DNA sequence: ACGACAAAGCATACTCTTGT
DNA sequence: ACAAGAGTATGCTTTGTCGT
């Protein structure tokens, strides 16, 4: 009947997923169906269960009946329980439910009601939009923090490679042939066995010969190859760090190129000198009588032991000093971080991502061969960390947006529902609604209209 | 036709916000 | 601090659907 239609609660809520209209009390129930603990509804592909869980997770639930909170409403409850078969009391409840509607019925009252309904839906919409926007902001912030962490570690690796260093701890030009062998070749792997023998990369028990000279040649070639790539990359990094001023433009890049060229030339010169020195010192060694070679070899071995002992002492001293310096720097860095790091890093300090030696070499080589995707790209290190991070996020954002627009048609539709004013659920409005629910809606509507 | 079950509506209890 | 009002969760009931 028409009175029924008038007394029914207005369906002023719309499910943002299926578009079905509900009274305010029923929409929450409808959504809860998908997330309730006991026998939840299976996901239908239209209702985003995770999203619902998130939304409904923030609401304040009423205390369940029978809890300690309830002491004033006992009479009301008793009444309702006594009348177990409650009649469809729409007509009774009318005056109580909406006095403005029922009693006044005049234009100002109706306007007020309409205004309230409008305000309510607007507030709800803006709340949900804010929730989504906040979620997006959080994600973006998290991405920024992760990137900061990553790039910091990357820069640390670059600096660790070191600028302008020699490829060797000891200058090979100051050593004679036996000393070169002991210094730069590995000990024989079978040194501690009863029959030690030489390999292509080791020195020998007996005085060295042509085989060790060849091994040294290969060794130096390999070392110089590695050193060149790392030296060039790290020279660029450090040079840029030194000369970088935000106001400087192209002049800076020219300086960097010049420094890179000089580093490369220095590496080539040194390699040439070492090769010549090796050749000359071997010739000198080869002309010596065998007996003399044996004496000198023994002497060199003894000297080598002495040097290692001295080195160990010096290293122990250095280690002690470094430990002190490290502790001091750590405390200074902590103080600096407290002031300049993002506030989230105070909650969880950033990890140091470990990069092993093989990876460092790979980066260095790729960087020297101008492969910006994988190498130590010399173009990024001068930039401010914030600039780098925003650049990277912009790049990824386009990927995220593309991915969302291609696969997230549901989300787009939901957002439209949320941001737009509530629509009347006509059959053509919600293409994603399954036929079953649509037919149900139609049937219900026609029932209301007929009655 | 009937029972079981799911979903939605109604009344009410409860929470939160706002104005005094 | 308190009262009023708005919004919303929950218990109970009705309604619709499906299988037997």
């Amino acid at each position: 009947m028409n009175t029924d239609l008038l007394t029914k609660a207005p369906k002023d809520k719309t499910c943002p997923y299926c578009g079905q209209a509900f009274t305010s009390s029923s929409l929450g129930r409808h959504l809860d169906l998908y997330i309730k603990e006991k026998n939840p509804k299976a996901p239908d592909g239209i209702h985003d269960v995770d999203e619902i869980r998130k939304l409904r997770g923030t609401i304040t639930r009423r205390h369940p009946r029978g809890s300690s909170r309830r002491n004033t409403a006992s009479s009301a409850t008793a009444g309702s329980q006594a009348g177990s078969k409650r009649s469809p009391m729409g007509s009774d409840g009318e005056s109580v439910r909406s006095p403005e509607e029922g009693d006044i019925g005049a234009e100002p009252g109706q306007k007020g009601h309409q205004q309230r309904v409008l305000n309510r839906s607007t507030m709800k919409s803006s709340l949900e939009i804010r929730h989504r926007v906040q979620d997006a902001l959080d994600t973006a912030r998290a991405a920024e923090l992760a990137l900061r962490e990553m790039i910091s570690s990357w820069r640390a690796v670059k600096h660790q490679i070191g600028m302008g260093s020699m490829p060797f701890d000891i200058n090979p030009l100051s050593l004679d042939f036996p000393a070169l062998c002991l210094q730069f070749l590995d000990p024989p792997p079978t040194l501690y066995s009863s029959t030690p023998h030489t390999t292509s990369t080791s020195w020998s028990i007996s005085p060295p010969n042509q085989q060790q000279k060849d091994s040294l040649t290969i060794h130096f070639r390999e070392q110089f190859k590695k050193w060149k790539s790392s030296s060039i990359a790290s020279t660029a990094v450090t040079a840029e760090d030194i000369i970088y001023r935000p106001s400087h433009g192209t002049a800076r890049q020219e300086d960097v190129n010049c420094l890179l060229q000089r580093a490369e030339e220095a590496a080539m010169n040194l390699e040439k000198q070492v090769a010549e020195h090796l050749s000359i010192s071997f010739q000198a060694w080869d002309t010596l009588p065998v007996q003399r070679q044996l004496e000198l070899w023994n002497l060199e071995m003894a000297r080598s032991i002495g040097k290692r002992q001295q080195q160990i002492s010096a290293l122990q001293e250095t280690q002690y000093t470094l430990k002190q310096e490290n502790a001091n720097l750590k405390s200074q860095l902590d103080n600096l971080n407290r002031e300049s790091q993002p506030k989230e890093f105070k909650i969880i300090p950033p990890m140091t991502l470990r990069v092993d030696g093989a990876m460092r070499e790979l980066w260095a080589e790729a960087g020297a061969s101008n492969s910006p995707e994988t190498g130590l790209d010399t173009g990024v290190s001068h930039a401010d960390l914030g600039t780098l991070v925003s650049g990277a996020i912009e790049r990824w954002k386009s990927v995220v947006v593309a991915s969302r627009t291609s696969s997230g048609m549901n989300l787009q539709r939901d957002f439209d529902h949320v941001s737009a004013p509530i629509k009347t659920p006509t059959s053509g409005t919600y293409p994603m609604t399954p036929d079953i629910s649509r037919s149900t809606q139609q049937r219900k509507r026609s029932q209301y209209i007929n009655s």
Side-chain angles (χ1 to χ4, degrees), chain A residues 115-416:
Chain A
Q115 186 62 44
R116 260 210 321 279
V117 169
L118 197 68
N119 286 346
R120 203 181 302 163
S121 67
T122 311
M123 255 179 63
K124 175 87 175 172
S125 297
S126 69
L127 255 173
E128 289 188 25
I129 289 169
R130 253 191 307 180
H131 182 262
R132 282 164 197 264
V133 167
Q134 186 57 53
D135 191 50
L137 285 174
D138 288 348
T139 309
R141 181 66 175 157
E144 183 187 335
L145 295 173
L147 263 174
R148 277 181 181 274
E149 184 181 69
M150 187 89 181
I151 293 175
S152 293
S153 292
W154 185 30
R155 281 192 165 175
V157 171
K158 285 182 176 181
H159 282 280
Q160 195 182 324
I161 289 169
M163 168 204 178
S165 58
M166 286 277 286
F168 320 108
D169 297 333
I170 293 173
N171 184 6
L173 303 178
S174 66
L175 302 176
D176 59 7
F177 183 70
L180 284 172
C181 292
L182 283 177
Q183 184 63 45
F184 294 108
L185 295 181
D186 299 327
T190 50
L191 182 62
Y192 301 104
S193 69
S194 55
T195 55
H197 59 269
T198 313
T199 68
S200 62
T201 58
S202 72
W203 43 262
S204 55
I205 305 296
S206 54
N209 53 25
Q210 180 67 39
Q211 188 187 352
Q212 275 69 47
K213 195 244 175 183
D214 295 341
S215 301
L216 277 172
T217 307
I218 293 168
H219 171 80
F220 284 133
R221 195 187 305 143
E222 288 295 317
Q223 289 301 307
F224 273 107
K225 189 179 163 194
K226 285 181 192 171
W227 178 66
K228 261 192 268 181
S229 52
S230 67
S231 174
I232 288 166
S234 62
T235 299
V237 169
T238 316
E240 286 166 1
D241 287 349
I242 291 166
I243 66 175
Y244 174 67
R245 296 288 182 280
S247 55
H248 290 179
T250 52
R252 186 191 67 229
Q253 191 55 46
E254 284 164 14
D255 291 347
V256 170
N257 289 342
C258 182
L259 275 168
L260 280 170
Q261 203 177 346
R262 252 186 278 165
E264 206 169 345
E265 279 171 10
M268 281 171 66
N269 280 339
L270 187 60
E271 185 177 9
K272 200 175 161 189
Q273 284 176 353
V274 169
E276 277 174 10
H277 174 73
L278 176 61
S279 180
I280 292 166
S281 56
F282 177 69
Q283 276 176 12
W285 170 261
D286 206 34
T287 54
L288 294 174
V290 176
Q291 185 57 37
R292 179 64 183 151
Q293 280 185 349
L294 191 60
E295 286 171 15
L296 286 175
W297 183 239
N298 284 338
L299 180 63
E300 196 54 50
M301 286 225 178
R303 281 179 184 159
S304 181
I305 292 169
K307 264 191 259 177
R308 298 292 176 196
Q309 284 172 340
Q310 284 176 349
Q311 275 177 354
I312 289 170
S313 302
L315 281 173
Q316 280 173 339
E317 191 65 28
T318 311
Q319 189 188 26
Y320 179 74
T321 312
L322 281 175
K323 272 184 180 170
Q324 273 193 324
E325 195 180 338
N326 188 29
N328 186 27
L329 284 172
K330 262 188 185 169
S331 73
Q332 285 181 25
L333 191 64
D334 282 347
N335 289 337
L336 282 172
N337 281 347
R338 252 173 251 134
E339 287 162 18
S340 65
Q341 292 271 19
K343 64 178 187 297
E344 289 86 347
F345 279 4
K346 289 172 191 168
I347 301 167
I348 298 176
M351 288 188 302
T352 299
L353 304 176
R354 192 182 165 278
V355 180
D356 63 13
M359 191 65 191
R360 284 199 299 272
E361 282 171 23
L362 189 69
W363 274 356
E365 281 174 22
S369 61
N370 293 325
S371 173
E373 290 86 356
T374 51
L376 293 175
D377 181 12
T378 56
V380 299
S381 49
H382 58 72
D384 172 60
L385 198 56
T387 314
L388 282 181
V389 166
S390 29
I393 286 180
E394 275 305 310
R395 192 160 46 82
W396 278 106
K397 201 171 178 184
S398 62
V399 177
V400 170
V401 169
S403 162
R404 181 158 50 78
T405 47
S406 65
S407 69
M409 294 307 287
N410 284 346
L411 276 177
Q412 180 60 49
R413 190 176 51 79
D414 298 345
F415 194 76
D416 290 346

